[in-house]
Amino acid sequence: MAYRYWCGECDHRTPWLDQPRAAQQLLQHYARHHPATPPGGRIETTRRTPGTGTGCLAALAALALLLAFAAARRH
């Protein structure tokens, strides 16, 4: 599972990371930008593991192949 932590004081958010690394980045952000404020905000989660997704690339490649196949059959 991947986590993204959002700052409760500004619009900062961490990248999608495993939970300990995302929490550490938020703590570092608070120490630098909001030193007298206890950490807060919200946590966003996703089921995917960070760095393993192919995004839309696989869907676009499949669509391109289908379009090429359809165009080849028409001629």
Side-chain angles (χ1 to χ4, degrees):
M1 193 174 288
Y3 298 82
R4 181 163 59 183
Y5 282 60
W6 294 71
C7 177
E9 311 305 317
C10 66
D11 62 351
H12 174 79
R13 65 180 183 258
T14 67
W16 289 105
L17 299 167
D18 58 48
Q19 189 172 18
R21 287 179 34 209
Q24 183 62 34
Q25 281 198 8
L26 184 68
L27 290 174
Q28 290 171 352
H29 167 78
Y30 265 85
R32 270 187 304 241
H33 299 283
H34 315 291
T37 308
R42 64 184 175 97
I43 303 169
E44 192 175 358
T45 61
T46 182
R47 292 186 187 269
R48 71 174 181 83
T49 304
T52 60
T54 58
C56 295
L57 186 58
L60 289 174
L63 181 60
L65 286 173
L66 286 172
L67 289 172
F69 179 71
R73 290 193 43 110
R74 266 188 100 168
H75 293 289

